[in-house]
Amino acid sequence: MLKKACKKIFAAILIMAMICGIFPNLGDSQEQVKASSIPKYVVVLDAGHDASHAGAQNRSNGYREEVLTYKIASYCKQELEKHDGVKVYMVRDSYSCPFGGGSVKSTECNSKRVEFSKNVKADLYISFHLNSSGPSARGVSVYYPNMNYKSEIGRNGEVLAKDIIKRLKALGIPQQGRGTLIRNSENNTRYPDGSLADYLAVIKGNKYNNIPAVLIEHCFISNASDCEQFLSSEEKLRTLGVADANGIMDYLGLNNLKQASDGNWYFYKNGSVDYSYTGLALYSGNWWYVKNGKIDFNANTLAYFKGNWWYVRNGRADFNATTLAYYNKIWWYVKDGQVDFNANTLAYYNNNWWYVRNGQVDFNANTLAYYNNKWWYVRNGQVDFNANTLGYYNNKWWYVRNGAVDFSFDGIARYGSGDWYVHNGVVDFNYNGLYRVSNLTQSMSDGQTVTFDGWYSFVNGKVDKHYSDFIYDGKEWKPVTNENVSSTYNGFAENGENNWFVINGNVKSDFTGLVTDKDNITRYVENGKASNITGVKELSCQEYNLTTGNTQEVNGTYHFTNGCLDRTYTGIVEEKNILTYWENGQLNKDINKLVKYKNELYYFENGKCDKTFKGVVQDDTGSWYINNGKVDYSFSGMALCNKNKWWYCIKNGKLDSSVNRLEYMYGRWWYVHNGVIDFQENTLVQNNKGWWYVNNGMVDFSFNGISKTDHGEWYIKNGNVDFNYSGMALCTSDQNYNGKTYFHKDWWYCIKNGSFDARADRLEYLYGRWWYVHNGVIDFQENTLVQNNMGWWYVNNGMVDFNYNGNFKYKNWTYAIKNGHVEF
Ligand SMILES: [Zn+2]
Ligand SMILES: [Zn+2]
């Protein structure tokens, strides 16, 4: 088999084989192996010509070249396929043209045949033909590529041609001419290197694709003897095809193993054992490992063959093997009998699982590896099933239990210099707080066992403190007994810096509200952490009672001291601009007074003092001017009370109730009475300009009429008491005093020196008439007799009736009246 030309194909195998030796049980061909994974030679058989591109024909017997070449090639295929080591492709599968038929030229048909060969990655190309010439020419000849360009293709082709012609000549076919020959271009066609090209299109075309091709002219279709001896029956045609197949297998080295009389199997070449050959060789469906010309049935190695490295066990390639194989100081990953250089996996071998990276075991690997739905801990290239540790992978630290990442693990893991908080199998470096475990054990690599038990405080995921022996009962740390070391602990737990609200052994980080413990201490808890606020907080939240386990809604304002609800706090709390007044833990909303605080008097209303308040307020001690929430002793002047809208006269911060005067303000004169402008006040007030009429607290300069006040009954002119007036005056509005109307609107009253003269009793001339003024007022109901210095006069409806003539009865006497005058 291995001719010189073959060495090219097998060069790599040989080198390999010298280094190693391999072999396993490839033997029985019943094993289910992916066909593509078994090494095979690809042989393309080109039955020359076709129905559309006909070859030579013999008119006397009707033989046609394209028919006979198809039959010979088909028989050759049948023979070759008896061997697992060969994959055969026919350029055409029928008599017809596979590449377009009559519509294409034969040269294009040949180009397509070459292209087909390239596409199936042929190792060899055999073109089947029959010669034709004058009737006497006969015999076999085989063309092979010249040595001009890609000379190794030419050398391989020459070996192939000689292997084939040897088998054909053995059938008795005479050699035509030189037998094997080169045919160069006859029109000076050149290869890219300038050398003369091959003449035959399929030989030239395949050479471009690095495929050695030969063209067999089996015999002469034009010669009667050749036809009769070699072409005249199916059996004769089959014999030709088998001879071609054997020549091909000789070339490929597939016919080279034979058992010698000593019982050993040897690799033959040219009829004798080739002791220089080391590599794979096919026999009876198995690929065997040949070492120095002899099958080595003990070989266990890797062997290079047709581009891959194959696993050899007990002398035979094992295409089912998935394992590790040691070769050239490296452990290789073998899958389906060949080294998988792309494999990144875990591989089981020798009772261990190994970490394979790019097809080889990486003994330096310390990582996590995914395999069979788990992540495994790899230590020095090997899965460590005893590992209980943390494994670094993908920028995180993972919790490994018995060699595999435990994604459900919540707890503590010791690694390096620390003990770490693990949540869902990964270290949480953001965790700060408490975490409780009960008898959690971890087997360390040194054989020791670590036990975690109790409360642990974490800072950035690392244990900061351990409270395994004590438990916080909400008041103090106490020794733990077996009963209360459990996941049922409810209460507060402290970690040095913080106090945590724990329910069933876990910090209740979703809770914000009040928590009352068994000692009736109530804390404000925010996100599970006890607050340490001191001051006031308005809350609308839940209150959890640790004694009862009950929860209730709370709404209110609470005072805290160091995070604890202060049920006894009495005093003032200052927050921002608000002061609040607390008594026994309650905001006392009944406080409405001045309260001394920080040496100042602050005004509290409903228990609160707004330090931005300004204005006049009243408490039991008086009325005060407040600025910035407190009494402003520096202020003197008028100030408004926003509540009752009165103005107060303030002196050094306090109402000066001794003030009684008219005060000019906002363009008007106001009556300040006992320090306050009383807008209900209607009175007369005296100043150095006289007495003034005050209506609703303000001097009314528009007032004209009579007024009744505490100061008497006076005639007012333009708001001022007119002491010079004497005469009648019209009352312009009802004048009430102490709930009684003293002067009536539209009545006329008698004034004397500005004051109402209630004793006036006379006839008074006014507006052209004489009126009867009785007790100071004109009485329009009055019908009587009135005397003046002119006599007695008849008064009808308050007025002297000068038109009256008749009698009038007065005090039991009847008088005669003439023109209103009594005629005595
Ligand atoms: Zn064709
Ligand atoms: Zn031909």
Side-chain angles (χ1 to χ4, degrees), residues 474-490:
K475 202 171 182 183
E476 60 185 351
W477 291 90
K478 292 177 177 173
V480 165
T481 65
N482 283 335
E483 299 104 64
N484 53 23
V485 178
S486 74
S487 62
T488 59
Y489 175 71
N490 297 324

Side-chain angles (χ1 to χ4, degrees), residues 639-697:
L640 180 71
C641 171
N642 277 311
K643 190 161 287 178
N644 59 14
K645 303 296 179 191
W646 291 9
W647 285 86
Y648 289 77
C649 184
I650 303 296
K651 184 176 181 183
N652 296 328
K654 193 179 182 185
L655 169 67
D656 181 358
S657 60
S658 68
V659 173
N660 286 288
R661 65 173 182 243
L662 289 174
E663 183 85 24
Y664 188 72
M665 191 164 68
Y666 297 113
R668 292 170 185 231
W669 284 91
W670 301 90
Y671 176 45
V672 177
H673 186 200
N674 296 332
V676 180
I677 295 174
D678 182 349
F679 297 98
Q680 260 78 58
E681 191 102 43
N682 296 302
T683 187
L684 291 178
V685 179
Q686 184 184 26
N687 69 359
N688 55 2
K689 296 275 174 65
W691 286 85
W692 298 89
Y693 174 71
V694 171
N695 184 29
N696 293 332

Side-chain angles (χ1 to χ4, degrees), residues 141-195:
S141 56
V142 180
Y143 291 94
Y144 62 89
N146 71 22
M147 309 297 160
N148 289 352
Y149 172 62
K150 297 189 176 182
S151 60
E152 71 280 13
I153 302 298
R155 285 193 294 273
N156 288 341
E158 182 181 13
V159 172
L160 175 59
K162 288 189 163 141
D163 280 334
I164 291 170
I165 201 168
K166 183 181 166 189
R167 290 284 188 170
L168 288 170
K169 281 161 72 177
L171 301 180
I173 309 175
Q175 176 178 306
Q176 203 271 334
R178 285 183 289 127
T180 55
L181 65 162
I182 287 167
R183 188 174 176 185
N184 286 325
S185 168
E186 290 162 9
N187 63 2
N188 203 28
T189 301
R190 298 280 162 171
Y191 280 124
D193 64 357
S195 61

Side-chain angles (χ1 to χ4, degrees), residues 415-518:
Y415 183 85
S417 63
D419 296 325
W420 304 88
Y421 174 71
V422 178
H423 182 54
N424 289 336
V426 65
V427 175
D428 179 358
F429 292 103
N430 293 320
Y431 188 71
N432 293 291
L434 281 179
Y435 191 77
R436 170 139 180 41
V437 292
S438 292
N439 278 318
L440 172 68
T441 59
Q442 181 184 355
S443 298
M444 308 302 290
S445 58
D446 61 4
Q448 303 287 316
T449 296
V450 178
T451 300
F452 298 100
D453 191 35
W455 287 95
Y456 292 80
S457 163
F458 291 87
V459 174
N460 295 331
K462 188 179 182 183
V463 169
D464 181 38
K465 279 183 185 169
H466 175 212
Y467 303 111
S468 63
D469 301 326
F470 292 86
I471 194 164
Y472 190 72
D473 66 355
K475 202 171 182 183
E476 60 185 351
W477 291 90
K478 292 177 177 173
V480 165
T481 65
N482 283 335
E483 299 104 64
N484 53 23
V485 178
S486 74
S487 62
T488 59
Y489 175 71
N490 297 324
F492 281 96
E494 189 179 279
N495 72 343
E497 291 176 20
N498 296 309
N499 226 340
W500 301 87
F501 175 44
V502 173
I503 289 293
N504 294 330
N506 285 310
V507 173
K508 208 159 163 44
S509 56
D510 59 350
F511 183 85
T512 293
L514 295 177
V515 176
T516 300
D517 67 17
K518 289 163 181 155

Side-chain angles (χ1 to χ4, degrees), residues 729-801:
L730 179 69
C731 176
T732 51
S733 60
D734 282 352
Q735 292 293 304
N736 302 317
Y737 182 72
N738 287 340
K740 181 181 167 192
T741 302
Y742 278 80
F743 296 102
H744 299 270
K745 186 173 186 290
D746 296 333
W747 290 17
W748 287 87
Y749 293 88
C750 187
I751 304 299
K752 184 177 181 182
N753 294 329
S755 178
F756 173 56
D757 181 6
R759 287 173 299 175
D761 203 78
R762 61 174 181 259
L763 288 173
E764 187 77 26
Y765 188 74
L766 191 71
Y767 295 113
R769 296 174 181 237
W770 286 91
W771 300 87
Y772 176 43
V773 177
H774 186 201
N775 295 332
V777 62
I778 295 173
D779 182 349
F780 297 100
Q781 260 79 54
E782 195 98 41
N783 294 303
T784 187
L785 295 179
V786 179
Q787 183 186 24
N788 68 358
N789 52 2
M790 302 283 286
W792 287 83
W793 296 87
Y794 170 66
V795 172
N796 184 28
N797 291 332
M799 182 177 69
V800 177
D801 184 359

Side-chain angles (χ1 to χ4, degrees), residues 303-317:
Y304 186 75
F305 186 63
K306 281 187 71 63
N308 289 313
W309 286 87
W310 301 91
Y311 180 66
V312 172
R313 184 174 166 80
N314 295 331
R316 195 162 53 170

